[in-house]
mmCIF file of all heavy atoms in Angstrom:
data_model
loop_
_atom_site.group_PDB
_atom_site.id
_atom_site.type_symbol
_atom_site.label_atom_id
_atom_site.label_comp_id
_atom_site.label_asym_id
_atom_site.label_seq_id
_atom_site.Cartn_x
_atom_site.Cartn_y
_atom_site.Cartn_z
ATOM 1 N N LEU A 66 -28.881 -5.697 9.135
ATOM 2 C CA LEU A 66 -29.566 -6.227 7.955
ATOM 3 C C LEU A 66 -29.674 -7.738 8.069
ATOM 4 O O LEU A 66 -28.743 -8.415 8.504
ATOM 5 C CB LEU A 66 -28.804 -5.867 6.680
ATOM 6 C CG LEU A 66 -28.791 -4.386 6.303
ATOM 7 C CD1 LEU A 66 -27.847 -4.165 5.130
ATOM 8 C CD2 LEU A 66 -30.188 -3.911 5.965
ATOM 9 N N GLU A 67 -30.834 -8.263 7.708
ATOM 10 C CA GLU A 67 -31.025 -9.708 7.781
ATOM 11 C C GLU A 67 -30.279 -10.395 6.656
ATOM 12 O O GLU A 67 -30.211 -9.894 5.532
ATOM 13 C CB GLU A 67 -32.513 -10.042 7.683
ATOM 14 C CG GLU A 67 -33.282 -9.623 8.912
ATOM 15 C CD GLU A 67 -34.709 -10.130 8.872
ATOM 16 O OE1 GLU A 67 -34.952 -11.202 8.281
ATOM 17 O OE2 GLU A 67 -35.564 -9.448 9.438
ATOM 18 N N PHE A 68 -29.738 -11.556 6.977
ATOM 19 C CA PHE A 68 -29.077 -12.351 5.964
ATOM 20 C C PHE A 68 -30.159 -12.827 4.996
ATOM 21 O O PHE A 68 -31.207 -13.310 5.415
ATOM 22 C CB PHE A 68 -28.373 -13.545 6.619
ATOM 23 C CG PHE A 68 -27.443 -14.262 5.696
ATOM 24 C CD1 PHE A 68 -26.212 -13.723 5.388
ATOM 25 C CD2 PHE A 68 -27.797 -15.469 5.129
ATOM 26 C CE1 PHE A 68 -25.348 -14.376 4.529
ATOM 27 C CE2 PHE A 68 -26.945 -16.129 4.274
ATOM 28 C CZ PHE A 68 -25.712 -15.584 3.973
ATOM 29 N N PRO A 69 -29.944 -12.675 3.709
ATOM 30 C CA PRO A 69 -31.000 -13.001 2.746
ATOM 31 C C PRO A 69 -31.295 -14.500 2.705
ATOM 32 O O PRO A 69 -30.386 -15.322 2.784
ATOM 33 C CB PRO A 69 -30.414 -12.528 1.413
ATOM 34 C CG PRO A 69 -28.951 -12.438 1.631
ATOM 35 C CD PRO A 69 -28.731 -12.180 3.083
ATOM 36 N N ALA A 70 -32.561 -14.797 2.589
ATOM 37 C CA ALA A 70 -32.981 -16.187 2.448
ATOM 38 C C ALA A 70 -32.846 -16.593 0.988
ATOM 39 O O ALA A 70 -32.926 -15.767 0.084
ATOM 40 C CB ALA A 70 -34.437 -16.338 2.900
ATOM 41 N N GLY A 71 -32.600 -17.834 0.758
ATOM 42 C CA GLY A 71 -32.592 -18.353 -0.603
ATOM 43 C C GLY A 71 -31.358 -18.028 -1.412
ATOM 44 O O GLY A 71 -31.412 -18.060 -2.636
ATOM 45 N N VAL A 72 -30.247 -17.704 -0.766
ATOM 46 C CA VAL A 72 -29.015 -17.483 -1.516
ATOM 47 C C VAL A 72 -28.546 -18.829 -2.044
ATOM 48 O O VAL A 72 -28.401 -19.788 -1.292
ATOM 49 C CB VAL A 72 -27.917 -16.841 -0.631
ATOM 50 C CG1 VAL A 72 -26.604 -16.764 -1.379
ATOM 51 C CG2 VAL A 72 -28.361 -15.474 -0.171
ATOM 52 N N GLU A 73 -28.366 -18.885 -3.346
ATOM 53 C CA GLU A 73 -27.956 -20.144 -3.952
ATOM 54 C C GLU A 73 -26.523 -20.480 -3.582
ATOM 55 O O GLU A 73 -25.657 -19.627 -3.592
ATOM 56 C CB GLU A 73 -28.069 -20.056 -5.477
ATOM 57 C CG GLU A 73 -29.489 -19.903 -5.962
ATOM 58 C CD GLU A 73 -29.548 -19.848 -7.471
ATOM 59 O OE1 GLU A 73 -28.670 -20.416 -8.137
ATOM 60 O OE2 GLU A 73 -30.489 -19.225 -7.972
ATOM 61 N N LYS A 74 -26.327 -21.760 -3.246
ATOM 62 C CA LYS A 74 -24.967 -22.194 -2.974
ATOM 63 C C LYS A 74 -24.212 -22.293 -4.283
ATOM 64 O O LYS A 74 -24.768 -22.615 -5.324
ATOM 65 C CB LYS A 74 -24.980 -23.549 -2.270
ATOM 66 C CG LYS A 74 -25.496 -23.473 -0.859
ATOM 67 C CD LYS A 74 -25.236 -24.760 -0.129
ATOM 68 C CE LYS A 74 -25.677 -24.570 1.307
ATOM 69 N NZ LYS A 74 -25.245 -25.633 2.163
ATOM 70 N N LYS A 75 -22.937 -22.016 -4.202
ATOM 71 C CA LYS A 75 -22.084 -22.069 -5.381
ATOM 72 C C LYS A 75 -21.936 -23.532 -5.797
ATOM 73 O O LYS A 75 -21.631 -24.396 -4.975
ATOM 74 C CB LYS A 75 -20.730 -21.456 -5.037
ATOM 75 C CG LYS A 75 -19.815 -21.320 -6.212
ATOM 76 C CD LYS A 75 -18.577 -20.564 -5.838
ATOM 77 C CE LYS A 75 -17.595 -21.542 -5.236
ATOM 78 N NZ LYS A 75 -16.256 -21.024 -5.112
ATOM 79 N N PRO A 76 -22.145 -23.822 -7.080
ATOM 80 C CA PRO A 76 -21.979 -25.204 -7.547
ATOM 81 C C PRO A 76 -20.550 -25.686 -7.329
ATOM 82 O O PRO A 76 -19.591 -24.914 -7.446
ATOM 83 C CB PRO A 76 -22.299 -25.124 -9.045
ATOM 84 C CG PRO A 76 -23.031 -23.847 -9.233
ATOM 85 C CD PRO A 76 -22.579 -22.929 -8.129
ATOM 86 N N GLU A 77 -20.411 -26.946 -6.966
ATOM 87 C CA GLU A 77 -19.092 -27.541 -6.753
ATOM 88 C C GLU A 77 -18.234 -27.364 -8.004
ATOM 89 O O GLU A 77 -18.685 -27.589 -9.124
ATOM 90 C CB GLU A 77 -19.265 -29.027 -6.430
ATOM 91 C CG GLU A 77 -18.073 -29.672 -5.780
ATOM 92 C CD GLU A 77 -17.749 -29.095 -4.411
ATOM 93 O OE1 GLU A 77 -18.670 -28.782 -3.644
ATOM 94 O OE2 GLU A 77 -16.556 -28.970 -4.128
ATOM 95 N N GLY A 78 -17.006 -26.923 -7.817
ATOM 96 C CA GLY A 78 -16.089 -26.771 -8.944
ATOM 97 C C GLY A 78 -16.241 -25.483 -9.726
ATOM 98 O O GLY A 78 -15.528 -25.268 -10.697
ATOM 99 N N SER A 79 -17.154 -24.592 -9.322
ATOM 100 C CA SER A 79 -17.308 -23.332 -10.064
ATOM 101 C C SER A 79 -16.207 -22.363 -9.660
ATOM 102 O O SER A 79 -15.540 -22.528 -8.647
ATOM 103 C CB SER A 79 -18.685 -22.726 -9.816
ATOM 104 O OG SER A 79 -18.833 -22.364 -8.465
ATOM 105 N N ARG A 80 -16.020 -21.348 -10.460
ATOM 106 C CA ARG A 80 -14.925 -20.401 -10.242
ATOM 107 C C ARG A 80 -15.146 -19.598 -8.965
ATOM 108 O O ARG A 80 -16.281 -19.286 -8.595
ATOM 109 C CB ARG A 80 -14.763 -19.504 -11.448
ATOM 110 C CG ARG A 80 -15.890 -18.527 -11.642
ATOM 111 C CD ARG A 80 -15.899 -17.835 -12.980
ATOM 112 N NE ARG A 80 -14.717 -17.040 -13.196
ATOM 113 C CZ ARG A 80 -14.469 -16.370 -14.291
ATOM 114 N NH1 ARG A 80 -15.334 -16.382 -15.284
ATOM 115 N NH2 ARG A 80 -13.373 -15.670 -14.430
ATOM 116 N N PRO A 81 -14.061 -19.258 -8.265
ATOM 117 C CA PRO A 81 -14.178 -18.411 -7.080
ATOM 118 C C PRO A 81 -14.729 -17.033 -7.460
ATOM 119 O O PRO A 81 -14.469 -16.531 -8.545
ATOM 120 C CB PRO A 81 -12.736 -18.273 -6.578
ATOM 121 C CG PRO A 81 -11.954 -19.319 -7.278
ATOM 122 C CD PRO A 81 -12.685 -19.649 -8.546
ATOM 123 N N ARG A 82 -15.495 -16.453 -6.543
ATOM 124 C CA ARG A 82 -16.081 -15.135 -6.774
ATOM 125 C C ARG A 82 -15.527 -14.148 -5.747
ATOM 126 O O ARG A 82 -15.593 -14.401 -4.543
ATOM 127 C CB ARG A 82 -17.601 -15.213 -6.668
ATOM 128 C CG ARG A 82 -18.203 -16.067 -7.781
ATOM 129 C CD ARG A 82 -19.675 -16.244 -7.591
ATOM 130 N NE ARG A 82 -19.885 -17.133 -6.455
ATOM 131 C CZ ARG A 82 -21.043 -17.675 -6.141
ATOM 132 N NH1 ARG A 82 -22.106 -17.412 -6.856
ATOM 133 N NH2 ARG A 82 -21.158 -18.471 -5.105
ATOM 134 N N VAL A 83 -15.010 -13.038 -6.254
ATOM 135 C CA VAL A 83 -14.384 -12.026 -5.409
ATOM 136 C C VAL A 83 -15.058 -10.683 -5.684
ATOM 137 O O VAL A 83 -15.179 -10.274 -6.835
ATOM 138 C CB VAL A 83 -12.869 -11.911 -5.706
ATOM 139 C CG1 VAL A 83 -12.238 -10.812 -4.857
ATOM 140 C CG2 VAL A 83 -12.169 -13.248 -5.487
ATOM 141 N N ALA A 84 -15.488 -10.018 -4.618
ATOM 142 C CA ALA A 84 -16.051 -8.670 -4.737
ATOM 143 C C ALA A 84 -15.024 -7.682 -4.201
ATOM 144 O O ALA A 84 -14.475 -7.870 -3.114
ATOM 145 C CB ALA A 84 -17.353 -8.547 -3.950
ATOM 146 N N LEU A 85 -14.773 -6.645 -4.971
ATOM 147 C CA LEU A 85 -13.857 -5.588 -4.568
ATOM 148 C C LEU A 85 -14.660 -4.303 -4.431
ATOM 149 O O LEU A 85 -15.198 -3.794 -5.416
ATOM 150 C CB LEU A 85 -12.751 -5.406 -5.611
ATOM 151 C CG LEU A 85 -11.829 -4.222 -5.404
ATOM 152 C CD1 LEU A 85 -11.023 -4.387 -4.119
ATOM 153 C CD2 LEU A 85 -10.902 -4.062 -6.590
ATOM 154 N N ILE A 86 -14.777 -3.809 -3.213
ATOM 155 C CA ILE A 86 -15.506 -2.566 -2.958
ATOM 156 C C ILE A 86 -14.495 -1.436 -3.021
ATOM 157 O O ILE A 86 -13.571 -1.376 -2.217
ATOM 158 C CB ILE A 86 -16.222 -2.616 -1.602
ATOM 159 C CG1 ILE A 86 -17.203 -3.798 -1.575
ATOM 160 C CG2 ILE A 86 -16.942 -1.295 -1.333
ATOM 161 C CD1 ILE A 86 -17.841 -4.054 -0.246
ATOM 162 N N LEU A 87 -14.675 -0.565 -3.988
ATOM 163 C CA LEU A 87 -13.686 0.460 -4.284
ATOM 164 C C LEU A 87 -14.143 1.820 -3.799
ATOM 165 O O LEU A 87 -15.308 2.178 -3.936
ATOM 166 C CB LEU A 87 -13.435 0.504 -5.796
ATOM 167 C CG LEU A 87 -12.292 1.368 -6.270
ATOM 168 C CD1 LEU A 87 -10.960 0.845 -5.735
ATOM 169 C CD2 LEU A 87 -12.255 1.411 -7.781
ATOM 170 N N ARG A 88 -13.222 2.577 -3.241
ATOM 171 C CA ARG A 88 -13.444 3.975 -2.860
ATOM 172 C C ARG A 88 -12.448 4.840 -3.604
ATOM 173 O O ARG A 88 -11.298 4.452 -3.774
ATOM 174 C CB ARG A 88 -13.209 4.183 -1.363
ATOM 175 C CG ARG A 88 -14.194 3.528 -0.441
ATOM 176 C CD ARG A 88 -15.598 4.109 -0.558
ATOM 177 N NE ARG A 88 -15.681 5.544 -0.538
ATOM 178 C CZ ARG A 88 -15.923 6.272 0.540
ATOM 179 N NH1 ARG A 88 -16.081 5.713 1.699
ATOM 180 N NH2 ARG A 88 -16.003 7.590 0.447
ATOM 181 N N GLY A 89 -12.880 6.001 -4.015
ATOM 182 C CA GLY A 89 -11.973 6.950 -4.641
ATOM 183 C C GLY A 89 -11.050 7.555 -3.593
ATOM 184 O O GLY A 89 -11.341 7.542 -2.410
ATOM 185 N N ILE A 90 -9.926 8.052 -4.050
ATOM 186 C CA ILE A 90 -8.957 8.702 -3.166
ATOM 187 C C ILE A 90 -8.760 10.121 -3.681
ATOM 188 O O ILE A 90 -8.650 10.344 -4.888
ATOM 189 C CB ILE A 90 -7.612 7.939 -3.178
ATOM 190 C CG1 ILE A 90 -7.812 6.518 -2.662
ATOM 191 C CG2 ILE A 90 -6.569 8.668 -2.346
ATOM 192 C CD1 ILE A 90 -6.562 5.672 -2.726
ATOM 193 N N ALA A 91 -8.700 11.077 -2.769
ATOM 194 C CA ALA A 91 -8.599 12.486 -3.167
ATOM 195 C C ALA A 91 -7.289 12.807 -3.882
ATOM 196 O O ALA A 91 -7.246 13.668 -4.745
ATOM 197 C CB ALA A 91 -8.757 13.389 -1.942
ATOM 198 N N ASP A 92 -6.219 12.128 -3.546
ATOM 199 C CA ASP A 92 -4.902 12.381 -4.152
ATOM 200 C C ASP A 92 -4.799 11.598 -5.462
ATOM 201 O O ASP A 92 -4.727 10.377 -5.452
ATOM 202 C CB ASP A 92 -3.815 11.947 -3.172
ATOM 203 C CG ASP A 92 -2.407 12.125 -3.722
ATOM 204 O OD1 ASP A 92 -2.242 12.415 -4.922
ATOM 205 O OD2 ASP A 92 -1.461 11.964 -2.929
ATOM 206 N N PRO A 93 -4.777 12.287 -6.614
ATOM 207 C CA PRO A 93 -4.756 11.594 -7.913
ATOM 208 C C PRO A 93 -3.566 10.651 -8.102
ATOM 209 O O PRO A 93 -3.716 9.576 -8.669
ATOM 210 C CB PRO A 93 -4.724 12.725 -8.937
ATOM 211 C CG PRO A 93 -5.170 13.942 -8.209
ATOM 212 C CD PRO A 93 -4.828 13.739 -6.770
ATOM 213 N N GLU A 94 -2.408 11.041 -7.614
ATOM 214 C CA GLU A 94 -1.229 10.175 -7.758
ATOM 215 C C GLU A 94 -1.374 8.904 -6.928
ATOM 216 O O GLU A 94 -1.045 7.808 -7.385
ATOM 217 C CB GLU A 94 0.051 10.925 -7.372
ATOM 218 C CG GLU A 94 0.509 11.911 -8.425
ATOM 219 C CD GLU A 94 0.773 11.247 -9.774
ATOM 220 O OE1 GLU A 94 1.438 10.193 -9.828
ATOM 221 O OE2 GLU A 94 0.286 11.776 -10.791
ATOM 222 N N ALA A 95 -1.868 9.057 -5.703
ATOM 223 C CA ALA A 95 -2.070 7.895 -4.832
ATOM 224 C C ALA A 95 -3.142 6.979 -5.423
ATOM 225 O O ALA A 95 -3.013 5.748 -5.387
ATOM 226 C CB ALA A 95 -2.452 8.333 -3.429
ATOM 227 N N GLU A 96 -4.190 7.577 -5.985
ATOM 228 C CA GLU A 96 -5.248 6.760 -6.582
ATOM 229 C C GLU A 96 -4.720 6.004 -7.802
ATOM 230 O O GLU A 96 -5.043 4.834 -8.004
ATOM 231 C CB GLU A 96 -6.466 7.596 -6.965
ATOM 232 C CG GLU A 96 -7.566 6.718 -7.543
ATOM 233 C CD GLU A 96 -8.912 7.393 -7.646
ATOM 234 O OE1 GLU A 96 -9.065 8.549 -7.221
ATOM 235 O OE2 GLU A 96 -9.818 6.740 -8.165
ATOM 236 N N LYS A 97 -3.908 6.655 -8.604
ATOM 237 C CA LYS A 97 -3.332 5.990 -9.782
ATOM 238 C C LYS A 97 -2.487 4.790 -9.361
ATOM 239 O O LYS A 97 -2.591 3.709 -9.931
ATOM 240 C CB LYS A 97 -2.499 6.987 -10.587
ATOM 241 C CG LYS A 97 -1.900 6.386 -11.838
ATOM 242 C CD LYS A 97 -1.103 7.421 -12.619
ATOM 243 C CE LYS A 97 -0.570 6.765 -13.876
ATOM 244 N NZ LYS A 97 0.724 7.201 -14.240
ATOM 245 N N LYS A 98 -1.671 4.974 -8.342
ATOM 246 C CA LYS A 98 -0.821 3.888 -7.848
ATOM 247 C C LYS A 98 -1.677 2.740 -7.289
ATOM 248 O O LYS A 98 -1.405 1.572 -7.563
ATOM 249 C CB LYS A 98 0.137 4.419 -6.781
ATOM 250 C CG LYS A 98 1.171 3.429 -6.348
ATOM 251 C CD LYS A 98 2.202 4.077 -5.455
ATOM 252 C CE LYS A 98 3.290 3.069 -5.130
ATOM 253 N NZ LYS A 98 4.386 3.644 -4.391
ATOM 254 N N LEU A 99 -2.706 3.091 -6.523
ATOM 255 C CA LEU A 99 -3.613 2.066 -5.992
ATOM 256 C C LEU A 99 -4.305 1.321 -7.127
ATOM 257 O O LEU A 99 -4.405 0.094 -7.116
ATOM 258 C CB LEU A 99 -4.655 2.706 -5.069
ATOM 259 C CG LEU A 99 -5.739 1.750 -4.549
ATOM 260 C CD1 LEU A 99 -5.129 0.656 -3.675
ATOM 261 C CD2 LEU A 99 -6.804 2.525 -3.793
ATOM 262 N N ARG A 100 -4.771 2.050 -8.124
ATOM 263 C CA ARG A 100 -5.465 1.447 -9.265
ATOM 264 C C ARG A 100 -4.546 0.468 -9.993
ATOM 265 O O ARG A 100 -4.952 -0.645 -10.331
ATOM 266 C CB ARG A 100 -5.954 2.556 -10.198
ATOM 267 C CG ARG A 100 -6.913 2.114 -11.236
ATOM 268 C CD ARG A 100 -7.558 3.264 -11.985
ATOM 269 N NE ARG A 100 -6.677 4.361 -12.328
ATOM 270 C CZ ARG A 100 -6.849 5.619 -11.912
ATOM 271 N NH1 ARG A 100 -7.846 5.945 -11.129
ATOM 272 N NH2 ARG A 100 -6.009 6.564 -12.296
ATOM 273 N N GLU A 101 -3.295 0.852 -10.208
ATOM 274 C CA GLU A 101 -2.346 -0.044 -10.883
ATOM 275 C C GLU A 101 -2.081 -1.297 -10.056
ATOM 276 O O GLU A 101 -2.013 -2.408 -10.592
ATOM 277 C CB GLU A 101 -1.043 0.703 -11.162
ATOM 278 C CG GLU A 101 -1.196 1.771 -12.235
ATOM 279 C CD GLU A 101 -0.009 2.723 -12.312
ATOM 280 O OE1 GLU A 101 0.898 2.648 -11.445
ATOM 281 O OE2 GLU A 101 -0.003 3.550 -13.246
ATOM 282 N N THR A 102 -1.955 -1.137 -8.749
ATOM 283 C CA THR A 102 -1.734 -2.282 -7.863
ATOM 284 C C THR A 102 -2.940 -3.208 -7.866
ATOM 285 O O THR A 102 -2.796 -4.430 -7.983
ATOM 286 C CB THR A 102 -1.430 -1.795 -6.428
ATOM 287 O OG1 THR A 102 -0.284 -0.950 -6.462
ATOM 288 C CG2 THR A 102 -1.185 -2.960 -5.491
ATOM 289 N N LEU A 103 -4.130 -2.621 -7.741
ATOM 290 C CA LEU A 103 -5.353 -3.445 -7.745
ATOM 291 C C LEU A 103 -5.530 -4.165 -9.075
ATOM 292 O O LEU A 103 -5.947 -5.329 -9.102
ATOM 293 C CB LEU A 103 -6.576 -2.578 -7.442
ATOM 294 C CG LEU A 103 -6.705 -2.091 -6.000
ATOM 295 C CD1 LEU A 103 -7.874 -1.123 -5.876
ATOM 296 C CD2 LEU A 103 -6.863 -3.254 -5.040
ATOM 297 N N ALA A 104 -5.225 -3.497 -10.175
ATOM 298 C CA ALA A 104 -5.353 -4.142 -11.488
ATOM 299 C C ALA A 104 -4.435 -5.360 -11.570
ATOM 300 O O ALA A 104 -4.829 -6.410 -12.094
ATOM 301 C CB ALA A 104 -5.043 -3.149 -12.602
ATOM 302 N N ALA A 105 -3.220 -5.244 -11.043
ATOM 303 C CA ALA A 105 -2.296 -6.388 -11.052
ATOM 304 C C ALA A 105 -2.825 -7.522 -10.183
ATOM 305 O O ALA A 105 -2.752 -8.699 -10.569
ATOM 306 C CB ALA A 105 -0.912 -5.941 -10.563
ATOM 307 N N VAL A 106 -3.382 -7.193 -9.020
ATOM 308 C CA VAL A 106 -3.961 -8.217 -8.139
ATOM 309 C C VAL A 106 -5.148 -8.886 -8.822
ATOM 310 O O VAL A 106 -5.288 -10.118 -8.802
ATOM 311 C CB VAL A 106 -4.373 -7.602 -6.782
ATOM 312 C CG1 VAL A 106 -5.205 -8.573 -5.965
ATOM 313 C CG2 VAL A 106 -3.142 -7.159 -6.001
#
Side-chain angles (χ1 to χ4, degrees):
L66 292 172
E67 290 188 31
F68 192 76
V72 174
E73 294 181 28
K74 290 191 175 191
K75 186 173 85 167
E77 198 64 38
S79 64
R80 70 192 298 178
R82 294 175 289 191
V83 178
L85 173 65
I86 301 173
L87 189 64
R88 292 294 312 265
I90 298 176
D92 178 351
E94 284 301 313
E96 182 166 357
K97 182 179 182 217
K98 188 172 184 174
L99 175 63
R100 192 170 41 240
E101 290 167 353
T102 302
L103 288 174
V106 169

